[in-house]
Structures are given as C-alpha cells and as structure tokens.
Amino acid sequence: MRTIVLLDLLKGIHTIKSIMDILNINKEGAIYYVHRLRKKGYVKTTYLRNKTRVYHISPEIRLGGTTYEEALNAHSPIKVATTTDYRIFGKKLMSEDVLIYTIQSQSVRKITAALALFRKISDWSYLYRLAKCHSLEREVGALYDVSRMIMRTRRMPKRFRNHALPKRYSRFSDIVPKLRSKHFRNIEETWKVHLPFNKQDLEAYT
C-alpha cells in the first residue's frame, strides 16, 4: 500500500486493534504499517494507564512542532484527536496555555481530558491573566473544583479563587452551549457555570 494512501486511511489516533479493523488485516500487518509510517516520521506513540500503546498518525508530525492536542494528550488519560494543522514551534506549550485553548474549543471530550492539566498547573498568576483576558475565570474555577473531586491536584491559591468567583447577580454561562450537568449542581451554582459532563464521563480518571 502506498504511504500517501496509508496516511489518508490512518490519520488520527489509533491502537493496533483499530488499525487492524480499518485495514482489515492481522496484528502483524498492523504493526508492520505502524513501523513503516514511524520510519518516515509520521507517528508519535503515547501510552494509556493500562500500558496500551496509542499511535498519533499525521503528516504534520513529520514537520515537527507541537499541537495543543498533542500537549494535552501528554498529560491526560483521555486522548483526543488533532483537529487543526496549527503547530507551535520553538517553545514548549505550558499547561496553562493548553487549558485555556481547550476550554475555548467547546469540545466536551477535550474539556474532559483537560481536567488532568490541573495536576500540572504551576503559574496560577499567569493562568489567571490568561483566563481574564478571555473572560474564562469562572470556567477555570468550576473545572478545577471538578478535578479536585476525582484526583489529586495542585491547590488553587485563595487569591485566584476570590478574584474568579462570580458576583452575586452574575448570570449562568455555558462551557459548551446548551449542555449542563446532572451531578455537579453545587459546583455549577458556586461558579454560575454549566458543566458539560456527568460523573460517568469521568470514569477514565477512577
């Protein structure tokens, strides 16, 4: 099979099993094709918590640089596909940048995956400035409170929390339009933000 055809069929995030299903081949054949694409620079490999290999396959990987989705996948047990060809060159993306980008994406899967970033946040002042610039202070606060319920995270400074909490008569906002949670009502009420997922959506963290 020609490389260009193979790339077109497999662009995205895969396991050996999904490659076997797409190409209708056995395990040895799937491993061979991954090896072939890796030699040409089109594959990045990450691992799930159960040690399953996950292959990120894209022609853009050969160009170098990093996408926001790749930076997110490096820290989260929930893997997401790259939806843009935009890559960052010459610097390492900070978790604070990736978190704000992910909230802006309004993608439920990406936002769910981004909860893991709160274990990596180190510059809360920078995160607050970013969030304020994009009017996302309350969204960051609500997602942080959810993350604290399901994993150990770095503690949010009181200064961040006090400045980010909504005013008494603030209206509710949606992280993802028209989606709201059944299980995190207290957090939603605290931050006046509707969350786009329920407890079962976070099973990958437990």
Side-chain angles (χ1 to χ4, degrees), residues 19-132:
I19 293 172
M20 290 169 59
D21 292 341
I22 291 171
L23 300 182
N24 193 26
I25 55 177
N26 60 24
K27 183 176 180 179
E28 289 72 22
I31 292 172
Y32 164 75
Y33 281 126
V34 169
H35 176 70
R36 181 172 144 190
L37 290 174
R38 182 186 285 112
K39 285 184 66 177
K40 293 183 178 292
Y42 297 124
V43 179
K44 279 189 176 181
T45 305
T46 57
Y47 293 84
L48 300 180
R49 284 187 173 182
N50 61 5
K51 306 302 182 182
T52 298
R53 292 184 181 184
V54 177
Y55 303 103
H56 306 258
I57 301 173
S58 170
E60 288 78 28
I61 291 174
R62 189 175 185 179
L63 300 175
T66 305
T67 67
Y68 284 95
E69 289 83 2
E70 288 170 352
L72 176 58
N73 286 335
H75 299 300
S76 178
I78 300 173
K79 306 305 176 185
V80 302
T82 295
T83 54
T84 175
D85 291 338
Y86 181 70
R87 305 182 74 83
I88 306 298
F89 295 87
K91 73 170 185 175
K92 182 178 180 180
L93 284 172
M94 295 175 62
S95 296
E96 293 83 356
D97 296 303
V98 179
L99 177 62
I100 296 301
Y101 168 85
T102 303
I103 297 172
Q104 289 180 299
S105 75
Q106 296 188 334
S107 162
V108 175
R109 185 170 180 82
K110 290 181 181 179
I111 292 166
T112 305
L115 293 176
L117 293 174
F118 286 106
R119 293 180 296 195
K120 301 294 182 180
I121 298 298
S122 58
D123 192 339
W124 287 95
S125 295
Y126 176 59
L127 177 59
Y128 183 80
R129 292 196 300 272
L130 276 180
K132 186 174 178 62

Side-chain angles (χ1 to χ4, degrees), residues 150-195:
I150 58 175
M151 71 185 87
R152 295 180 65 181
T153 67
R154 300 188 175 188
R155 186 173 296 278
M156 175 187 284
K158 289 183 179 180
R159 181 179 177 85
F160 187 114
R161 189 175 188 87
N162 291 339
H163 280 80
L165 281 167
K167 301 296 186 282
R168 184 176 179 182
Y169 298 108
S170 297
R171 294 184 177 183
F172 270 87
S173 64
D174 296 335
I175 293 180
V176 178
K178 300 182 180 179
L179 291 185
R180 56 191 61 185
S181 175
K182 296 178 181 178
H183 299 136
F184 301 108
R185 298 281 178 83
N186 290 341
I187 294 174
E188 288 187 323
E189 187 63 38
T190 296
W191 292 99
K192 294 291 191 271
V193 170
H194 290 303
L195 294 161

